[in-house]
Amino acid sequence: MEDELIEKLKAPMSPADMREIRKALGFSQDGLAYFLGFTQSYISSLENGRYPIQPGTAIALRLLLRGEKAPVEIENQKMETGCNGQNQTDG
């Protein structure tokens, strides 16, 4: 059951889905950017499809919407990867 939840959390997120979730959470682009450690222009670029929404960002937004903490497996992965899903040792 937890594996199924993890797969749903990791599913690709469309720019429209991101915008909808942000609004449902009551965040402005600037507020969400501050909360996630991004810039407002980056949030705008994600919502307009200029950059792909990385799995870590999709997971964070879905967990916020659900009001839940990350499953242990995702927490462990977060220690190894950055918020954008890239390995911290990558250049």
Side-chain angles (χ1 to χ4, degrees):
M1 176 121 150
E2 189 169 301
D3 289 340
E4 186 177 315
L5 172 61
I6 290 169
E7 289 309 309
K8 285 182 182 180
L9 291 171
K10 288 182 176 180
M13 179 179 284
S14 73
D17 288 343
M18 181 175 172
R19 182 179 294 113
E20 186 177 318
I21 290 172
R22 174 181 58 79
K23 289 181 177 183
L25 291 167
F27 280 113
S28 64
Q29 286 184 344
D30 194 50
L32 182 63
Y34 179 80
F35 189 80
L36 294 177
F38 297 141
T39 63
Q40 180 277 327
S41 62
Y42 183 67
I43 297 295
S44 176
S45 293
L46 292 174
E47 289 185 357
N48 288 302
R50 286 190 287 273
Y51 299 120
I53 299 166
Q54 298 296 324
T57 303
I59 289 168
L61 289 171
R62 288 183 175 121
L63 289 172
L64 280 171
L65 188 61
R66 293 170 59 110
E68 296 182 16
K69 291 178 62 177
V72 173
E73 206 172 300
I74 291 174
E75 280 295 318
N76 291 339
Q77 182 181 9
K78 188 169 64 174
M79 299 295 282
E80 299 167 10
T81 61
C83 197
N84 63 5
Q86 296 177 345
N87 192 310
Q88 293 290 353
T89 59
D90 291 348

